[in-house]
């Protein structure tokens, strides 16, 4: 999750470079090409100059796209596609203009817990949620309930030892067993709703019974189950298979592609021994996503994607074509994704998504999507007056 925070700040980051310290001496100058996963040590003055030039080009492009990003998100000329933002803290609000997004698709409430020495009170949570909501005015703000466990631990709360924590006691599973935590969040969110369009999102939903249990808790706090617009994250394969049942119980859905891919392929994405099997662009994963997007679209149920694919050019094209009507991404990537999506038609993207899902391998599907993304990106650069093959 250091990578998630780095992305939100726009910091180029490469992980998994275990041997870097045996190759690069402390204090030496390096160049990081995060898009390609490359770290260059012992760089020459020429290589440094090339990296600086590329960085300047990207800043110039971002500046042009940032101004146009104030327009509503769309695919092509007239197909609406809401672009939302993922944030972790009120500090994130200083990093971007709220005018470039149409709301918050994911506020990760766990970071407010992780930065403290003890559990926040209901009053403290209410003030936090109220402040975020008021900042965005009439736009919706989706607060995901506490999602700790596995690699996200609270220093003041002893989690049980688990041999496989990624598959264990985390997210909604923990909240439903320690209901005082969830009840406090519900209470704070209900009160914060008086100040804006506050919505609640449940992480790690496994089955429809969990959603119904949460609705009973909302009724217990607020007197009625519909006091809060309620959403479910689809990131567990069983939830994807039970999509229609869960859909009937909630107001909206959000897909976490990071965990969905992890669980679909039975791969711990932080484990370097099997990291090559974590393949978000594998056709098996794309078919599940396309099923979710198209099923929700036909049912008229709002659905977003808040996983890392939303902020990637190839991923954004696929998801738009797969039926999703909202993409939620880290703030630094909003302008370029908006600019790129304006260069293609929804009809083209639906055909592209179908072809990618019909591929046999991860490499075939990714190349197809990447080629389409490169064409759209170059078109966006031409229209910005900043064309560059390297950018």
């Amino acid at each position: 999750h250091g990578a998630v925070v780095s992305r939100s700040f726009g910091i180029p980051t490469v992980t998994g470079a275990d041997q870097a310290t045996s190759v690069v001496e402390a204090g030496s100058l390096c160049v990081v090409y995060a898009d390609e996963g490359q770290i260059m040590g012992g760089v020459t003055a020429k290589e440094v100059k090339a990296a600086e030039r590329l960085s300047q080009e990207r800043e110039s492009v971002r500046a042009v796209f940032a101004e146009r990003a104030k327009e509503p998100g769309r695919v092509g000329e007239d197909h609406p596609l809401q672009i939302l933002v993922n944030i972790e803290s009120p500090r994130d609000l200083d990093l971007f203009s709220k005018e470039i997004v149409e709301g918050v698709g994911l506020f990760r409430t766990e970071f407010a817990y992780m930065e403290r020495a003890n559990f926040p009170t209901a009053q403290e949570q209410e003030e936090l949620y109220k402040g975020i909501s008021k900042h965005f005015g009439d736009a919706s703000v989706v607060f995901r309930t506490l999602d700790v466990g596995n690699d996200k631990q609270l220093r003041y709360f002893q989690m049980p030892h688990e041999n496989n924590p990624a598959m264990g006691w985390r997210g909604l599973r923990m909240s439903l067993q320690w209901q005082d935590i969830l009840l406090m969040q519900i209470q704070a969110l209900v009160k914060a709703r008086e100040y804006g369009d506050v919505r609640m999102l449940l992480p790690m939903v496994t089955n429809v019974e969990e959603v119904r249990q949460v609705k009973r808790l909302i009724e217990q706090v607020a007197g009625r189950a519909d006091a809060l617009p309620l959403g479910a994250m689809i990131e567990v394969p069983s939830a994807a298979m039970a999509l229609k049942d869960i859909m009937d119980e909630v107001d909206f859905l959000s897909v976490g592609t990071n965990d969905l891919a992890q669980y679909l392929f039975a791969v711990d994405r932080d484990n370097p021994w099997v990291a090559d099997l974590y393949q978000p662009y594998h056709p098996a994963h794309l078919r599940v996503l396309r099923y979710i997007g198209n099923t929700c679209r036909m049912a008229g149920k709002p659905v977003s994607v808040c996983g890392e694919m939303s902020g990637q050019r190839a991923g954004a094209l696929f998801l738009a074509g797969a039926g999703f009507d909202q993409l939620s991404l880290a703030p630094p990537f909003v302008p370029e994704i908006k600019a790129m999506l304006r260069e293609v038609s929804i009809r083209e993207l639906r055909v592209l998504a179908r072809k990618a899902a019909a591929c046999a391998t991860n490499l075939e599907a990714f190349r197809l999507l990447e080629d389409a993304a490169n064409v759209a990106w170059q078109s966006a650069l031409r229209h910005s007056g900043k064309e560059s093959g390297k950018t």
Side-chain angles (χ1 to χ4, degrees):
H1 286 82
V4 171
V5 175
S6 294
R7 284 176 69 87
S8 70
F9 280 90
I11 301 173
T13 303
V14 175
T15 63
D18 295 359
Q19 305 304 316
T21 53
S22 64
V23 178
V24 181
E25 294 183 1
S28 62
L29 186 62
C30 297
V31 171
V32 177
Y33 286 100
D35 288 349
E36 292 79 30
Q38 294 182 352
I39 305 171
M40 298 174 60
V43 291
T44 65
K46 183 178 180 180
E47 290 169 331
V48 171
K49 189 174 181 179
E52 290 174 341
R53 185 172 61 250
L54 177 59
S55 179
Q56 291 168 358
E57 288 176 356
R58 290 198 168 188
E59 286 303 318
S60 178
V61 168
R62 287 192 187 102
V64 174
F65 287 159
E67 188 60 33
R68 291 195 65 193
K70 295 176 182 178
E71 301 173 11
R74 68 176 191 271
V75 177
E77 293 295 326
D78 55 7
H79 183 82
L81 178 69
Q82 281 193 313
I83 302 297
L84 311 172
V85 70
N86 297 338
I87 56 177
E88 288 81 40
S89 160
R91 292 189 297 272
D92 294 355
L93 303 181
D94 298 327
L95 301 177
F96 67 99
S97 168
K98 65 181 180 181
E99 295 178 350
I100 70 170
V101 296
E102 294 158 85
V104 177
L106 174 65
F107 184 90
R108 300 180 174 98
T109 63
E110 61 269 16
F111 284 88
Y113 285 76
M114 294 168 70
E115 294 176 348
R116 298 174 53 87
N118 47 47
F119 282 105
T121 65
Q123 179 64 34
E124 289 170 332
Q125 292 185 64
E126 179 189 341
E127 291 301 314
L128 170 64
Y129 305 153
K130 181 173 67 176
I132 298 294
S133 180
K134 289 174 71 174
H135 177 82
F136 286 94
D138 295 333
S140 62
V141 180
V142 174
F143 292 93
R144 184 176 68 185
T145 57
L146 184 62
D147 186 16
V148 294
N150 191 27
D151 57 341
K152 291 182 288 186
Q153 299 289 324
L154 301 178
R155 52 184 169 165
Y156 48 85
F157 181 65
Q158 185 63 47
M159 302 285 286
H161 172 75
E162 298 177 278
N163 291 330
N164 192 349
M167 306 284 283
W169 201 54
R170 53 172 299 198
L172 184 59
R173 300 169 181 182
M174 189 196 84
S175 296
L176 285 175
Q177 289 193 33
W178 286 72
Q179 291 188 9
D180 286 351
I181 297 173
L182 182 55
L183 286 166
M184 288 176 67
Q185 281 204 285
I186 293 172
Q187 179 183 341
L189 288 168
V190 168
K191 290 184 177 180
R193 186 157 172 76
E194 299 173 10
Y195 301 91
D197 187 359
V198 168
R199 306 180 184 191
M200 186 169 83
L201 179 63
L202 305 176
M204 282 291 291
V205 172
T206 306
N207 54 53
V208 71
E209 292 94 325
E210 293 173 329
V211 178
R212 290 171 178 168
Q213 190 173 353
V214 171
K215 291 175 75 173
R216 289 194 291 270
L217 293 177
I218 295 174
E219 185 174 12
Q220 178 181 327
V221 170
R224 54 192 182 88
D226 61 352
L228 272 175
L230 182 65
M233 287 200 72
I234 305 299
E235 49 191 343
V236 177
S238 63
M241 297 305 295
L243 180 64
K244 293 181 179 178
D245 298 321
I246 293 172
M247 186 189 302
D248 290 340
E249 298 288 340
V250 296
D251 300 294
F252 64 97
L253 294 152
S254 182
V255 180
T257 54
N258 304 352
D259 273 329
L260 182 59
Q262 174 175 244
Y263 294 128
L264 188 64
F265 295 112
V267 168
D268 179 352
R269 64 181 185 271
D270 294 326
N271 184 341
W273 293 100
V274 293
D276 60 323
L277 292 175
Y278 176 71
Q279 300 176 351
Y281 291 94
H282 192 285
H285 187 228
L286 300 183
R287 290 165 196 166
V288 175
L289 291 173
R290 192 162 173 265
Y291 165 74
I292 296 170
N294 287 330
T295 300
C296 291
R297 180 167 62 91
M298 289 187 289
K301 184 71 67 173
V303 59
S304 68
V305 177
C306 59
E308 293 299 299
M309 284 181 71
S310 290
Q312 298 166 357
R313 296 171 192 167
L317 290 187
F318 173 80
L319 294 169
F324 293 94
D325 47 28
Q326 297 176 336
L327 301 182
S328 190
L329 45 145
F333 303 100
V334 169
E336 69 176 48
I337 293 299
K338 274 191 166 185
M340 185 192 66
L341 287 170
R342 285 193 291 263
E343 302 299 321
V344 290
S345 72
I346 191 63
R347 179 175 295 181
E348 290 176 307
L349 293 190
R350 286 173 180 164
V351 172
L352 177 67
R354 184 171 64 249
K355 287 182 177 179
C359 289
T361 69
N362 175 72
L363 185 58
E364 290 174 18
F366 183 70
R367 281 180 174 171
L368 178 67
L369 294 169
E370 186 76 350
D371 287 346
N374 286 335
V375 171
W377 180 243
Q378 290 301 322
S379 179
L381 290 174
R382 283 194 298 273
H383 287 152
S384 73
K386 298 288 183 179
E387 185 171 12
S388 168
K390 292 184 69 178
T391 305

